[in-house]
Amino acid sequence: MGNREMEELIPLVNRLQDAFSALGQSCLLELPQIAVVGGQSAGKSSVLENFVGRDFLPRGSGIVTRRPLVLQLVTSKAEYAEFLHCKGKKFTDFDEVRHEIEAETDRVTGMNKGISSIPINLRVYSPHVLNLTLIDLPGITKVPVGDQPPDIEYQIREMIMQFITRENCLILAVTPANTDLANSDALKLAKEVDPQGLRTIGVITKLDLMDEGTDAREVLENKLLPLRRGYVGVVNRSQKDIDGKKDIKAAMLAERKFFLSHLAYRHIADRMGTPHLQKVLNQQLTNHIRDTLPNFRNKLQGQLLSIEHEVEAYKNFKPEDPTRKTKALLQMVQQFAVDFEKRIEGSGDQVDTLELSGGAKINRIFHERFPFEIVKMEFNEKELRREISYAIKNIHGIRTGLFTPDMAFEAIVKKQIVKLKGPSLKSVDLVIQELINTVKKCTKKLANFPRLCEETERIVANHIREREGKTKDQVLLLIDIQVSYINTNHEDFIGFANAQQRSSQVHKKNTVGNQGTNLPPSRQIVIRKGWLTISNIGIMKGGSKGYWFVLTAESLSWYKDDEEKEKKYMLPLDNLKVRDVEKSFMSSKHIFALFNTEQRNVYKDYRFLELACDSQEDVDSWKASLLRAGVYPDKSLTENDENGQAENFSMDPQLERQVETIRNLVDSYMSIINKCIRDLIPKTIMHLMINNVKDFINSELLAQLYSSEDQNTLMEESAEQAQRRDEMLRMYQALKEALVIIGDINTATTFTPAPPPVDDSWIQHSRRSPPPSPTTQRRPTLSAPLTRPASGRGPAPAIPSPGPHSGAPPVPFRPGPLPPFPSSSSSEWFGAPPQVPSRPTRAPPSVPRRPPPAVPGRPS
C-alpha cells in the first residue's frame, strides 16, 4: 500500500472514527500502538521523528530518553502539541516541545541520568498524521551510570515489557548496523512477546557509519539472521546534521540518495529507507483495520435494524401537527388499556421474572393471604371456649341448665362472623394497592408526554378510589347477610345430635383444628412442594441444612433433593400448629416453627421443627399452604394467663360437655361460612373493582382526558423525548454513514497476507553462541586490501563469489565495499572454485594482493 493510498485512507478512517464518536463508540476502532525498542543511541528517537515529520525529541550521547514518551497523533486542521501535565497549554514551536520533554524528564528523574517508568504523555495535532499512538522507550543498557540503580537493566526491561506485551502493539526492533545483530536485545525482547514474529519489524540504522568494506546486504535481504517480516534499513540525521538544523525532508532525500548510490543496496533501494518503513507500517495498519471492520459491520447492521422501526416514526415527524397529536393520543390510551388488561389477565409478553405483580399478586391475595388472615383471626381455642361457657351461664342465669341452649350457639357464631369483616376489608385494601401499582407501571410508556401520564394516572386512581367505597360496602353487606340469619338446616351443618356425639370423645377435643371438616376425599393430594431449611437441626448446634419438602393434607415429608428418591422423614400433621420465630441478627433467613399441641416431640428429640425461608413472603405462603392442610397458627395464651384462667374459671362436667357441643357446632357452622366468604369476597372484588376499572379504562378514560385538559397541553412532549428523537435520527444517520465508509475502506484498500514463518531460532540461542553478524564492526585487516583502478578505466565487472562448499575466498576487484557471500540457494553463483575474471572491455582490473584466509563461518 503506497503513501498515496494511505493519504486516501486517513480521511476515511478519521470519518469512521467521527461516526463512531457520534454513536458513543469512540473506543471501538483502536489502531495499533507502535513501540520503538532498542539499545542506547540506536537511533530510536530519529525513527520516531520521521513519522511525525518534526524535530522535537531530545538528542545526545548515552541515555537520553529516560522516561517513556507516549505520543498520540491526532488528525487536525491546525498543527500544535499538548502535554497532559500542562493542560490547556498549546505548543506551536516544537523546539519548546523538546525543552519541555527535557525539563519534565529532569523533574522526575533528576539531572544525573536517572530513569523513571512514569510516562510523559504528549499529543500532537497535525493535518499530516493518522490517529496513532507511538511510544519512545528508554534504551536498553546493562551498566548503571550516574544516579541509575544497580538493577537498571531489569527496570528498563520491565518498563519495555509493559508496552510490547499488548497484542495491539507493533514492535520496531531498532539495531545499529555497526553492532552485532545476533546479540540484539531488542530482538530478544520482541521474540519473548511475539514468538510468531507477526508484530516485529527489524530496523537497521546507521548504515552510513559502517566500516569501509563492510555492508549489511544479506541481513537486509533477510537471508542472514532472518525475521518473519524482515528488516528495513534507514539512515538518520547525524549529530552534525541536527546541529546544522537539517530538516527531515532534506534528510530523507539524502537517505534516498545513499541507498541508490551504494553498490550493496541500490538493487533493494525501493525496500529501504524511512518512506518504505512508513509504507510497511501503513500496510499493517490497513490489515488491522480490514480485520476489524467485519465485526463492526455486523454490529452496526444489528443496531441499524433495531432502531429502524422507531426511526420510521420520526422521519416525517411534525411536532405541531394536530392530526398527529390526535392519533398519538388515541393510540396511547388504547395501548394503556391493552397493557393494563394484560397485566391483570396474564400474558406471555414481557413476563416479570423477579416478582409477582398485577393479576398474579391479586390471585395470591385471594387464595393465600385472605384465607390465612381468616384462620389467624378465628382460631383462638381457649378464648373461644371461655366465651362459650360465659354465654351458657349468662343464658341460664340463676338456674342450672339441663340442656344446651341454642341461643349461646347463635351468639357465639354471630360474633365469629362479624370478625370476618377485618380480613375481608384488608383484602380489598391490598387489591386496591396492587391495582394502583399496576396503573403506575402501565403509565411508564406515557412518560414521553408528562401531562398525559399524570392525568391518566390521576383519573384512573380516582376511579379506583370511588369503587373502593362501593366494594367495601358490598363486602360488609355480605357479612351482615350471614349474620342476619343462622341457617342450622344447611346440608353441611352437623346438627346437635352429631355435635353431642363428638363431645363425648374428650380426648380429641384439641384436635379439631387439625382435623378440619372440609378436607378433600383423598388426603394424599399434594398441596405444596419446595425447598426449606431446617435451622435447628445440624451437625453442630445452630447448624442448618436445606431439604425438599412435600406437603399433603395428611403429612409433611422432606427429601434429600427434588428428585424425591431419598425420603428423610414423614411428619404427620395431627395436633400440629405453626408459630413465628424471631429472626436472628446473624441470619438473613425468615423462620417459622411447627410444634405439637400435646407437648410432644415433633421430630426425634426436638419439641420444635424450625423451618427457614429466604423471605417473609415465602413464610406467609407456606403458612397459607399449611392452613389448607389444617395446621393453624398458634394463638394460645401464655403460661401465666393459663394459670390465672385455671384459678378464675373452672367448669363442671355437665357444663364442659355443653361447651364442647357448642364448640363443635360453631366449628361446623363457621366452616360453612368461611367457605362461603372465601368464595364470595374475591368474586365481589373482581366484579365491583377489577372488571369495573377495566371497563372504565376501555370506555371512559379517553373522554375524561379530553374534558380534563386541552389536547395540545396533554400531548406536549417532554424535553427528554425530543432529545431522544434527535439522538435516534442522528444515530441512524451515523450508522448509515459508518456502513458506507466501511464499504469505501474495503474498496480503497487491499489486504497483504502475513509472510511465511522463518527459522528465527538464532534469537533464542544468541546468548550461548552468537554467530558473527555482518553488521559487526570489522577491523581493516579482516577486509581485503584495496587497490586503486587505473586512471581512465571504467568500473570492473562483478566477480562471482565461490559456492557455499568452497573454502577459497573471493577475489577482490576494486576499492569499496566487498560484495556479500550469497546464500546457497542463489542461482547466479556456482559451486566451482573462484576464478579470475576475464579482461573487461573498457579497462583491465588491477592486480590484487593475495587475500588472507577466510574466517570459517564468517558472513560477508
Side-chain angles (χ1 to χ4, degrees), residues 483-760:
V483 173
S484 64
Y485 178 65
I486 306 301
N487 181 17
T488 56
N489 288 325
H490 195 282
E491 58 184 4
D492 294 331
F493 186 58
I494 62 173
F496 271 88
N498 292 331
Q500 288 175 347
Q501 183 180 0
R502 288 190 182 186
S503 66
S504 64
Q505 303 172 357
V506 180
H507 66 281
K508 292 186 178 180
K509 64 179 179 179
N510 289 328
T511 65
V512 176
N514 282 338
Q515 296 300 326
T517 59
N518 57 343
L519 293 174
S522 174
R523 297 179 64 86
Q524 297 301 323
I525 295 177
V526 175
I527 297 175
R528 185 187 181 101
K529 293 183 179 182
W531 289 98
L532 286 174
T533 301
I534 302 180
S535 60
N536 63 329
I537 299 175
I539 299 175
M540 297 181 295
K541 186 178 179 181
S544 60
K545 192 171 183 181
Y547 295 98
W548 178 259
F549 279 75
V550 177
L551 175 65
T552 67
E554 192 173 49
S555 65
L556 178 66
S557 305
W558 57 91
Y559 299 81
K560 180 181 179 181
D561 51 41
D562 54 4
E563 293 182 1
E564 299 182 15
K565 293 181 179 179
E566 185 179 343
K567 181 183 286 188
K568 293 296 184 181
Y569 195 76
M570 184 179 75
L571 178 65
L573 300 182
D574 294 336
N575 303 320
L576 292 185
K577 282 195 176 183
V578 62
R579 63 183 295 181
D580 292 324
V581 178
E582 289 187 5
K583 180 180 175 183
S584 172
F585 71 95
M586 297 182 64
S587 173
S588 61
K589 299 276 188 180
H590 298 261
I591 305 174
F592 65 96
L594 297 175
F595 68 97
N596 193 294
T597 57
E598 295 182 350
Q599 304 300 316
R600 297 177 181 175
N601 292 338
V602 176
Y603 172 68
K604 296 184 179 180
D605 296 332
Y606 296 90
R607 286 292 184 92
F608 295 91
L609 182 65
E610 294 184 359
L611 303 175
C613 302
D614 291 331
S615 65
Q616 185 61 43
E617 190 172 311
D618 291 338
V619 171
D620 294 340
S621 180
W622 271 101
K623 285 182 180 180
S625 299
L626 287 168
L627 283 177
R628 294 177 58 191
V631 180
Y632 298 109
D634 176 34
K635 284 292 184 178
S636 61
L637 301 174
T638 63
E639 186 177 352
N640 293 334
D641 292 337
E642 291 176 359
N643 293 336
Q645 284 185 8
E647 295 175 2
N648 301 325
F649 175 70
S650 62
M651 293 186 290
D652 56 51
Q654 182 180 353
L655 179 60
E656 189 172 349
R657 285 194 298 270
Q658 292 177 353
V659 169
E660 185 64 26
T661 299
I662 293 181
R663 174 66 184 87
N664 290 335
L665 291 171
V666 170
D667 185 32
S668 175
Y669 194 80
M670 287 306 298
S671 177
I672 298 171
I673 297 299
N674 286 345
K675 185 186 295 185
C676 181
I677 292 298
R678 287 170 61 175
D679 181 60
L680 286 177
I681 295 300
K683 291 179 178 178
T684 302
I685 296 174
M686 193 71 192
H687 175 68
L688 295 177
M689 178 73 66
I690 299 173
N691 289 342
N692 185 275
V693 171
K694 287 196 297 184
D695 293 340
F696 172 81
I697 292 174
N698 285 317
S699 60
E700 299 183 30
L701 175 60
L702 184 61
Q704 293 209 18
L705 284 171
Y706 274 118
S707 62
S708 63
E709 285 195 28
D710 179 61
Q711 175 182 308
N712 292 330
T713 305
L714 287 174
M715 298 307 295
E716 184 176 335
E717 65 179 355
S718 63
E720 291 80 5
Q721 170 63 10
Q723 182 180 359
R724 172 176 172 76
R725 184 179 66 252
D726 295 340
E727 288 180 356
M728 292 294 290
L729 292 173
R730 178 182 54 79
M731 182 181 295
Y732 182 77
Q733 294 300 326
L735 286 170
K736 292 185 67 176
E737 183 181 1
L739 289 172
V740 171
I741 295 172
I742 288 174
D744 292 343
I745 291 177
N746 285 331
T747 304
T749 60
T750 56
F751 180 81
T752 302
V758 297
D759 181 12
D760 57 0

Side-chain angles (χ1 to χ4, degrees), residues 325-337:
K325 292 184 177 182
T326 302
K327 182 179 179 181
L329 176 59
L330 181 60
Q331 289 177 341
M332 289 186 177
V333 172
Q334 290 175 343
Q335 186 62 46
F336 172 78

Side-chain angles (χ1 to χ4, degrees), residues 50 77 164 295 313 436 543 566 585 757 837 843:
N50 290 339
K77 295 181 179 179
I164 66 175
N295 291 334
I436 291 177
E566 185 179 343
F585 71 95

